Amino acid sequence: MTPTTYHALWQSLTPLYETGEAQAIVRLLLEDAFGLTMADVLCGGIDSMTSTQKANLDGMMRRLQNAEPIQYVLGQTEFCSRMFHVAQGVLIPRPETELLCQWIESNHQGLSGGSLLDIGTGSGSIAVTLALALPHCSVTAWDISDRALDIARKNAKTLGADITFEHIDALNPPDDQRRWDIIVSNPPYVTLAERDAMHDNVLQYEPDEALFVPDDDPQLFYRAIALYAKKHLHEGGSLYFECSQYHVAQTAELLTSMGFQSIETINDQFGQPRHVRGS
């Protein structure tokens, strides 16, 4: 059985995480899964668990010790002040992407009767957030993964967002007559050469197809989506991308070369270039 003192629990994760992160993970597990605050823990809350709760704690700790992300263990994560269901098969939404949603909301708050497309929706975090932030906008979300679409639909239903979900490959979008006011995507952008610098909790559990692009073509998805957007955005419409910090300038240059105007970039909360907009 997993040891059941707070100190022993977080220490069991130190082969994978720094001390502060290991402690934060255990605190989050105890509070979200078992309703125990640190005050409860210090007053013997772990010892007071039922045998069933201790067995559940043991199972969850084993998953964490095998490098499974805490978000998958809990089955949820917070994004833009809402709880989203997540599981293996979708990327865990990152704080950087919250800034992308906030940027779009700020730029289009007055949009009424418009249309928005989220390409590669994953858990649906972007689509759901923007559907609720821009309630007069019609939102559609694409993904190539049926598993991701199932999870995104569940999140939309739980959070009360009206979204049309479609199984469509971003690299082979339909040549139809639809037009959009906003297209947004956080596509795969990590090159295979960058794998060695990534942690096991990402490599072993998060889906490769949502992460990686070939070393010789890091702009693969940006180019395909921009080509689609060039044809299918309304006049004055906007295309938004989340990018690797190493390829923001390259993505901005790509959009310029394709005839997009008013190219803008913004940094993430860590001061790294992260998001690009073209109109």
Side-chain angles (χ1 to χ4, degrees):
M1 290 286 291
T2 297
T4 53
T5 68
Y6 170 65
H7 187 269
L9 289 171
W10 69 255
Q11 273 205 325
S12 73
L13 299 181
T14 53
L16 297 170
Y17 303 100
E18 298 292 334
T19 295
E21 188 172 5
Q23 291 172 339
I25 288 171
V26 171
R27 287 197 301 270
L28 181 61
L29 177 67
L30 292 173
E31 183 161 2
D32 280 21
F34 302 97
L36 294 178
T37 65
M38 273 308 297
D40 295 327
V41 171
L42 294 174
C43 292
I46 298 176
D47 290 335
S48 299
M49 284 181 170
T50 66
S51 58
T52 298
Q53 288 175 323
K54 288 182 179 180
N56 288 339
L57 175 62
D58 182 69
M60 289 179 168
M61 286 301 303
R62 290 184 186 279
R63 291 170 66 184
L64 291 172
Q65 291 158 6
N66 286 326
E68 187 170 351
I70 179 64
Q71 295 89 343
Y72 289 160
V73 173
L74 293 173
Q76 63 182 16
T77 191
E78 185 174 344
F79 183 86
C80 287
S81 301
R82 297 182 180 91
M83 295 306 298
F84 283 80
H85 170 59
V86 292
Q88 291 186 46
V90 297
L91 285 183
I92 298 164
R94 266 58 173 191
E96 297 92 317
T97 310
E98 295 187 24
L99 294 180
L100 176 62
C101 292
Q102 292 163 6
W103 191 26
I104 295 171
E105 179 183 355
S106 175
N107 287 339
H108 301 279
Q109 190 60 248
L111 184 64
S112 179
S115 56
L116 181 149
L117 172 64
D118 174 26
I119 299 180
T121 196
S123 67
S125 57
I126 293 176
V128 170
T129 298
L130 293 176
L132 296 174
L134 305 172
H136 301 296
C137 189
S138 171
V139 176
T140 300
W142 293 353
D143 209 288
I144 196 174
S145 165
D146 288 329
R147 170 69 166 155
L149 288 169
D150 286 343
I151 290 172
R153 286 190 186 99
K154 177 177 180 179
N155 282 321
K157 182 177 181 180
T158 299
L159 294 168
D162 184 10
I163 299 169
T164 300
F165 292 99
E166 298 178 351
H167 185 284
I168 293 178
D169 182 356
L171 297 180
N172 294 286
D175 186 17
D176 55 29
Q177 300 302 311
R178 285 189 286 183
R179 295 290 184 271
W180 313 94
D181 294 288
I182 303 167
I183 295 177
V184 56
S185 185
N186 178 16
Y189 57 67
V190 181
T191 61
L192 293 173
E194 297 175 86
R195 286 184 68 105
D196 290 345
M198 299 177 71
H199 295 296
D200 286 346
N201 60 349
V202 175
L203 291 176
Q204 293 181 16
Y205 293 96
E206 298 198 63
D208 283 1
E209 63 271 20
L211 286 169
F212 295 109
V213 289
D215 291 338
D216 61 354
D217 194 7
Q219 295 290 300
L220 175 64
F221 283 90
Y222 297 105
R223 185 171 56 254
I225 293 168
L227 282 169
Y228 175 83
K230 193 65 183 171
K231 182 175 180 181
H232 291 273
L233 277 174
H234 285 299
E235 184 175 353
S238 295
L239 171 63
Y240 291 86
F241 281 133
E242 181 166 320
C243 306
S244 161
Q245 65 192 70
Y246 307 111
H247 297 124
V248 167
Q250 188 178 357
T251 304
E253 290 170 5
L254 172 70
L255 295 184
T256 299
S257 72
M258 296 177 67
F260 285 86
Q261 306 295 318
S262 305
I263 309 298
E264 299 177 74
T265 64
I266 63 169
N267 293 346
D268 61 24
Q269 65 270 47
F270 307 108
Q272 300 297 329
R274 183 66 61 185
H275 307 303
V276 180
R277 175 192 184 190
S279 300

